[in-house]
Amino acid sequence: MTHSHDHDNELDPMDARVRALETILSQKGLIDPGAIDVIVDTYQNKIGPQNGARVVAKAWSDDAYATWLKEDATAAISSLGFTGRQGEHMRAVFNTPQTHNMVVCTLCSCYPWSVLGLPPVWYKSPPYRSRAVIDPRDVLEEFGVTLSKDINIRVWDSTAELRYLVVPMRPDNAQGLSEDALAALVTRDSMIGTGIVGMAS
Ligand code: FE
């Protein structure tokens, strides 16, 4: 007999460990549970892919900004008010007709939180982390992205010190759109490199 219904009191082992630690630390007065809630809320609701989408839309609209983003992504991104924790450096990698960029953290789950928010579950999964490096073309196929064989795929391995933002190519028919309209086209996956930006024509 299958056991298909959910119980609120059943946590996966990692959630259970996190909750146990949170309980012990707050009982000892070492942390304020309210402060944790604020941090979680910030990353769940206030900081998300909409930040990265603004960066991409600005790069698409403003050549000087795109150049700055290419040369010093940490500064160019901070100028829009999106700053990471200390010591976190950003690099923007630009897709071109010849090269598609894709981001992974093979070691754990390093991710550009300041521009993309919390990582999706698949980003942290062992299959993605190993296969993105070994067989990126097939992984992209599974995401519904089919690249022609002559397009080179570059996979960037994130670390705690250096995190990557993919700048997807602007759709050909997006000329004349405002930055807001452009930002609305940019998906989270396109900035990880597991998606591309399309536009209904
Ligand atoms: Fe990591």
Side-chain angles (χ1 to χ4, degrees):
M1 210 180 125
T2 54
H3 185 89
S4 60
H5 61 280
D6 292 327
H7 294 291
D8 286 346
N9 57 354
E10 281 182 5
L11 298 172
D12 76 41
M14 184 57 78
D15 286 339
R17 294 178 75 90
V18 169
R19 192 160 302 185
L21 278 170
E22 193 181 323
T23 304
I24 292 166
L25 291 171
S26 47
Q27 279 172 357
K28 288 184 175 288
L30 294 173
I31 56 164
D32 168 7
I36 292 183
D37 289 343
V38 169
I39 293 168
V40 170
D41 176 66
T42 298
Y43 278 100
Q44 268 177 350
N45 302 313
K46 302 198 178 78
I47 301 178
Q50 68 272 16
N51 294 6
R54 303 235 51 105
V55 173
V56 170
K58 191 162 179 62
W60 282 350
S61 315
D62 178 342
D63 289 342
Y65 184 78
T67 303
W68 188 20
L69 185 63
K70 212 172 276 180
E71 286 167 359
D72 186 353
T74 309
I77 290 169
S78 309
S79 77
L80 300 184
F82 311 136
T83 50
R85 290 162 298 174
Q86 242 183 353
E88 179 179 317
H89 292 281
M90 291 292 309
R91 178 159 174 200
V93 289
F94 288 65
N95 287 347
T96 69
Q98 294 79 37
T99 306
H100 181 88
N101 295 284
M102 187 173 160
V103 179
V104 66
C105 175
T106 54
L107 212 59
C108 45
S109 57
C110 299
Y111 189 71
W113 285 35
S114 58
V115 279
L116 297 186
L118 296 171
V121 170
W122 55 258
Y123 184 85
K124 299 182 277 186
S125 73
Y128 178 76
R129 286 161 40 204
S130 55
R131 293 185 55 235
V133 178
I134 299 164
D135 198 2
R137 208 169 286 273
D138 276 2
V139 171
L140 286 177
E141 287 273 356
E142 286 160 27
F143 278 93
V145 177
T146 304
L147 296 178
S148 84
K149 291 270 182 258
D150 55 329
I151 297 176
N152 190 36
I153 301 173
R154 268 192 96 162
V155 180
W156 301 88
D157 195 356
S158 304
T159 66
E161 290 80 34
L162 184 58
R163 306 185 187 212
Y164 299 92
L165 176 72
V166 174
V167 180
M169 281 192 292
R170 188 177 68 179
D172 288 337
N173 55 351
Q175 260 91 18
L177 290 185
S178 67
E179 256 183 64
D180 283 350
L182 288 171
L185 298 173
V186 182
T187 60
R188 177 195 68 197
D189 287 6
S190 72
M191 295 180 280
I192 303 174
T194 52
I196 52 174
V197 177
M199 187 184 172
S201 45

